[in-house]
Amino acid sequence: MKFSIAFSSLLLFGSNINAFSVSNSNKVYARNAVKLQMRASDDARETKVSSLNSASIAEAPTEEDTQIEQQKSYLDDGFVFGLEGSGLERPKGKVAQVVVEGDSLETQPYQVAMVTATFASHAFFALNAISQLNTINDGDALLTTVQAFATIFSSWVLADLGSGILHWSVDNYGNGRTPIMGGIIAAFQGHHTAPWTITERGFCNNVYKLCIPFGIPTVAAISALAGPSHPLISLFFVIFCSMEILSQELHKWSHMTVSQLNPFILGLQKYGLSIGRTPHAMHHLAPFEGNYCIISGICNKALDESGFFRRLEKIVYDINGVESNAWKLDPELKAKTLRGEYSL
């Protein structure tokens, strides 16, 4: 009897111990669960705050981002002068605007030196070519004159074509970072934004950039390759390069008023020897897709009616997928070109 009572007491005590242990375990588990839940809540709250902060940063650009957005320049890839939202819009009225960093309307001594040396060397190469031609003709001055005149005339016509191809290419492709031609590209594209700026440039300030591709090294190399036995080739390219350099000055005249031009220049424009004001004004209508020739403009009609430049743009696009700036300004022009409708 005593044994059974003792055994029963032992069982009861053991049950109480187990109950106490389970109770304590449950409390520990509960406390840990609460801690985990609180930690999870904190993590969730931190994640939410982080997400909100990220969203607010994305939606509210910093002052630095705003400044970067406002400081778009001709050096940026895909930059199109005059395109809405490009960062540089066309001012109204006759407002001079220098768009290329480091550029100035003031003529610098190095510009005068570069232009003077270039035209002096070109004159030397031209006279030397005519002298060689006269020697080949055994001193026949009339024959030499006729041949030289024919060569000069043909070079003048093809220089107008060349000025159009150059103008089209730098208007539509590349930017200020393009090697060698970057300065010329930026100047031509910037001209669409402020076309009257060119009228405030002096002669050397206006043409010196073109002395780089059409200057002394180019003419000297061609004359050396032609040699004394082919003086007409040398003469042709001397005149061609000289006219390409002068194209910017003829171009400047087309932006000047009648009162600003002397009778000689007005006569050149009247008889089609220099690009006129009205024909060139047609080029400055967006998207700047035609009337690219700026020496005499004699080639413009044939080039635009035949769709010459649209065909070139289609070829470029087929090769590398690059769109012309004219396409970017006028999506319908792109659509027409891709449909094979090239003529303006």
Side-chain angles (χ1 to χ4, degrees):
M1 180 70 177
K2 290 182 180 180
F3 174 78
S4 62
I5 293 173
F7 183 73
S8 299
S9 299
L10 182 61
L11 287 177
L12 181 61
F13 179 73
S15 298
N16 290 335
I17 290 176
N18 288 336
F20 178 77
S21 299
V22 171
S23 176
N24 283 345
S25 296
N26 288 339
K27 288 180 180 180
V28 172
Y29 176 80
R31 283 197 300 271
N32 290 338
V34 169
K35 288 181 179 179
L36 289 173
Q37 186 175 2
M38 292 175 63
R39 187 176 299 170
S41 298
D42 291 341
D43 292 343
R45 186 161 51 251
E46 290 177 2
T47 302
K48 184 176 181 179
V49 171
S50 178
S51 300
L52 289 173
N53 288 339
S54 299
S56 63
I57 290 173
E59 293 175 1
T62 63
E63 182 179 350
E64 183 180 358
D65 292 336
T66 303
Q67 290 177 351
I68 292 174
E69 182 68 20
Q70 293 175 347
Q71 292 175 355
K72 289 181 179 179
S73 76
Y74 67 94
L75 296 174
D76 297 335
D77 291 335
F79 184 84
V80 182
F81 282 100
L83 182 62
E84 184 177 357
S86 66
L88 184 60
E89 306 300 334
R90 300 179 68 189
K92 295 181 179 179
K94 293 187 176 181
V95 180
Q97 184 180 16
V98 176
V99 298
V100 179
E101 183 180 354
D103 193 10
S104 170
L105 299 179
E106 183 179 351
T107 300
Q108 302 297 324
Y110 77 89
Q111 297 169 352
V112 176
M114 182 185 297
V115 173
T116 301
T118 297
F119 279 106
S121 69
H122 284 23
F124 168 78
F125 284 115
L127 292 174
N128 186 58
I130 292 174
S131 175
Q132 291 173 343
L133 179 63
N134 191 56
T135 299
I136 293 174
N137 290 334
D138 295 325
D140 189 335
L142 179 60
L143 178 59
T144 299
T145 301
V146 171
Q147 289 178 327
F149 179 80
T151 301
I152 292 171
F153 178 78
S154 62
S155 182
W156 171 75
V157 173
L158 290 178
D160 188 58
L161 172 63
S163 74
I165 295 174
L166 172 66
H167 190 178
W168 163 80
S169 64
V170 296
D171 268 9
N172 287 284
Y173 301 99
N175 57 32
R177 296 187 191 277
T178 302
I180 301 176
M181 298 293 288
I184 296 174
I185 291 172
F188 269 88
Q189 293 184 5
H191 176 65
H192 290 164
T193 302
W196 294 278
T197 302
I198 193 175
T199 65
E200 300 188 16
R201 295 184 182 276
F203 174 72
C204 293
N205 179 279
N206 189 34
V207 306
Y208 82 96
K209 287 186 177 73
L210 289 170
C211 290
I212 298 173
F214 300 108
I216 299 173
T218 301
V219 171
I222 293 174
S223 296
L225 291 173
S229 58
H230 298 91
L232 289 178
I233 294 177
S234 179
L235 179 61
F236 177 92
F237 281 102
V238 168
I239 301 302
F240 183 91
C241 290
S242 297
M243 292 307 303
E244 293 301 333
I245 296 172
L246 289 172
S247 67
Q248 268 298 81
E249 191 67 9
L250 306 182
H251 179 202
K252 182 178 80 174
W253 295 346
S254 70
H255 283 284
M256 299 174 72
T257 63
V258 173
S259 61
Q260 292 176 304
L261 299 173
N262 61 52
F264 176 74
I265 295 174
L266 292 173
L268 293 177
Q269 292 180 341
K270 178 180 179 180
Y271 293 106
L273 298 176
S274 174
I275 184 70
R277 295 179 306 281
T278 300
H280 184 63
M282 299 299 294
H283 169 71
H284 280 274
L285 300 176
F288 319 111
E289 81 280 29
N291 291 284
Y292 287 109
C293 301
I294 55 175
I295 290 180
S296 65
I298 193 173
C299 297
N300 276 330
K301 184 177 180 180
L303 292 173
D304 290 343
E305 290 183 352
S306 66
F308 178 78
F309 294 112
R310 302 291 81 74
R311 295 173 191 273
L312 290 182
E313 290 166 1
K314 178 66 163 52
I315 292 172
V316 172
Y317 183 74
D318 288 342
I319 292 174
N320 56 25
V322 175
E323 299 180 11
S324 70
N325 286 343
W327 286 17
K328 296 173 185 177
L329 288 167
D330 185 2
E332 177 58 26
L333 180 67
K334 173 184 176 181
K336 287 175 59 179
T337 304
L338 294 178
R339 289 197 303 265
E341 300 173 16
Y342 301 119
S343 178
L344 292 182

